Amino acid sequence: MNPVYASLGDTIFDVMSGLARETGAVNLGQGFPEWDGPEDVRQRAADALMKGPNQYPPMRGLPHLREAVAEHYGRLQGIQLDWKTEVTITSGATEALAAALLSVLSPSDEVVLFEPMYDSYLPMLRRAGATARFVRLKPPHWRVDPAELAAAFNEKTRAVVLNTPLNPSASLIGAEDLSLIAAQCVKHDCIAISDEVWEHCVFDGAVHISMLDAPGMRERTIKIGSAGKIFSMTGWKVGFACAAPALSEAFAKAHQFLTFTTPPNLQEAVAFGLAKPREHFDAMREQLARQRDRLATALRQEGFSLLPAAGTYFMAVDLAASGIALSDAEFAVRAVKECGIATIPFSAFYTRPPESALVRLCFAKSDATLDRGVEGLAKARKLLA
Ligand code: PMP
């Protein structure tokens, strides 16, 4: 087996969901909503499946969907994209991340990553033969330290991978920090692979800022989105990569031999969904913010200390500040086995142990599940504190 994969275990999401299934625990671990996405979008997919065509769509995606992606970002984020040369449809953001890394990197290149980070970046860039350099974002504000950032770049740096809103910390990378990263990319002639799959899940009036809009980055950013996140249907693997024409051209070369294309009925339905009015996306955000607040209020009443949750489906519990003197992994395993509640330990998102013991909770759940989750966590705090 290739050594990159030989050293990897199962992803933490599968491990914790597996334990939750085995033990019958409430699952606030893996990040999937408990509801299905909009009925009209699903109906559109069902109709397109029956009506066809069901044969290979064009390699870069259905023109109809690529136009819809450009229209959507133009209308909701003020980003002007030429759908013919700047938008590629992929099989989920995971494929887009892989195609971006494979198309940009050569062996001996270096890539700057921010910890905590989503778990697919590191194995994929290593598989491309590149080496990672890490910049750590620290709780509670998860800001970029300019000196640490500058020290991570050198003449070998080819790319930076960033994620905003950031899973698992539920923080946003603000304009100031995006500009700092942009300045290093410009200085060292690097590409930014910008994972923006949580772009619609921002709360309390915050506005998502894309790396494409950062100073000097329009020609050197691959912005990645995910219909699975936009429509709360994580099983729908439909992603988008938006980049300047030359970068899109390179990206498509990798994409054509990864998946070549994505089921046409899902593409058709996503095109329909992206055209929905702004109010649709506002309502989704409001519902998520309500679930977040329900969970946060109940947990605080039980004595838990939480970090701010500005975006994504997630919030972080600070174990030490909640009176629990266990590592995040010990807590997560004991909580699922002994108290019936599955969480995700933050250490899964780091290469070296994090400075604080934090666990991630997903609040995209029904009221009943959130309430049962709070019961499990309250039990865990009594037993493990
Ligand atoms: N990036 C981040 C930060 C994510 O949280 C996820 C999904 N959890 C993905 C990428 C993968 O998205 P997709 O399901 O569209 O492949």
Side-chain angles (χ1 to χ4, degrees):
M1 197 195 294
N2 178 279
V4 171
Y5 295 123
S7 64
L8 287 180
D10 292 336
T11 78
I12 187 70
F13 310 107
D14 256 6
V15 171
M16 293 309 295
S17 288
L19 281 172
R21 273 193 301 273
E22 262 169 45
T23 57
V26 183
N27 191 353
L28 297 189
Q30 199 169 7
F32 57 86
E34 214 170 23
W35 46 85
D36 256 337
E39 194 168 338
D40 53 354
V41 177
R42 286 185 281 137
Q43 187 61 54
R44 198 72 173 213
D47 293 347
L49 186 75
M50 295 317 292
K51 192 161 142 270
N54 283 290
Q55 309 309 333
Y56 292 129
M59 183 270 278
R60 288 197 186 199
L62 290 183
H64 183 44
L65 174 55
R66 292 160 65 204
E67 273 181 87
V69 169
E71 186 281 329
H72 183 82
Y73 285 138
R75 180 164 51 95
L76 297 181
Q77 293 182 8
I79 295 172
Q80 303 311 321
L81 292 162
D82 173 1
W83 70 267
K84 285 196 182 116
T85 56
E86 297 191 310
V87 180
T88 311
I89 307 306
T90 60
S91 293
T94 307
E95 194 231 332
L97 286 160
L101 291 164
L102 292 174
S103 61
V104 166
L105 299 176
S106 301
S108 86
D109 282 346
E110 289 192 5
V111 182
V112 175
L113 298 178
F114 296 91
E115 288 185 300
M117 67 194 159
Y118 186 61
D119 64 347
S120 80
Y121 307 155
L122 190 56
M124 193 45 75
L125 78 87
R126 287 191 171 144
R127 193 66 190 82
T131 307
R133 285 199 179 251
F134 301 100
V135 174
R136 281 167 88 98
L137 307 177
K138 298 189 188 83
H141 300 300
W142 310 99
R143 294 291 307 267
V144 175
D145 178 283
E148 203 186 332
L149 181 72
F153 282 79
N154 61 47
E155 66 288 352
K156 288 190 181 164
T157 315
R158 183 80 196 101
V160 48
V161 183
L162 66 148
N163 175 213
T164 183
L166 206 160
N167 172 13
S169 57
S171 54
L172 316 179
I173 306 184
E176 210 179 308
D177 285 359
L178 285 175
S179 295
L180 280 177
I181 302 167
Q184 292 297 332
C185 288
V186 171
K187 181 172 171 198
H188 295 276
D189 192 18
C190 296
I191 303 295
I193 298 170
S194 188
D195 179 345
E196 300 179 18
V197 302
W198 296 103
E199 58 200 343
H200 283 298
C201 301
V202 293
F203 311 123
D204 309 321
V207 175
H208 171 74
I209 310 175
S210 173
M211 190 57 161
L212 268 178
D213 271 343
M217 295 308 291
R218 183 63 179 81
E219 302 300 312
R220 52 175 76 247
T221 298
I222 304 177
K223 168 183 164 66
I224 293 174
S226 167
K229 299 294 187 290
I230 296 178
F231 298 109
S232 307
M233 294 191 280
T234 56
W236 276 32
K237 285 284 184 167
V238 182
F240 339 115
C242 302
L247 210 43
S248 286
E249 197 64 44
F251 178 93
K253 297 256 195 285
H255 160 70
Q256 69 182 335
F257 295 129
L258 277 172
T259 57
F260 185 72
T261 189
T262 298
N265 68 313
L266 298 185
Q267 293 197 46
E268 183 60 42
V270 170
F272 167 76
L274 288 175
K276 282 179 177 285
R278 180 183 284 275
E279 293 70 37
H280 167 86
F281 303 97
D282 289 344
M284 178 193 76
R285 263 193 285 283
E286 277 155 26
Q287 187 195 358
L288 283 169
R290 267 197 305 278
Q291 302 308 96
R292 174 197 64 169
D293 294 344
R294 183 184 185 95
L295 182 62
T297 305
L299 286 177
R300 288 204 175 98
Q301 274 165 5
E302 294 294 341
F304 281 97
S305 175
L306 308 170
L307 267 56
T312 74
Y313 293 163
F314 307 115
M315 74 171 67
V317 178
D318 184 331
L319 294 179
S322 305
I324 301 166
L326 294 177
S327 76
D328 60 350
E330 275 166 342
F331 174 85
V333 171
R334 290 193 59 187
V336 71
K337 290 189 173 162
E338 297 171 35
C339 310
I341 174 73
T343 60
I344 300 283
F346 259 56
S347 50
F349 302 86
Y350 288 81
T351 50
R352 285 179 296 113
E355 20 295 288
S356 313
L358 305 173
V359 292
R360 192 193 81 174
L361 306 177
C362 173
F363 52 75
K365 306 289 174 192
S366 67
D367 288 355
T369 300
L370 292 178
D371 295 350
R372 286 198 302 129
V374 172
E375 274 171 38
L377 284 161
K379 189 173 158 198
R381 187 161 176 273
K382 288 199 184 85
L383 195 76
L384 306 174

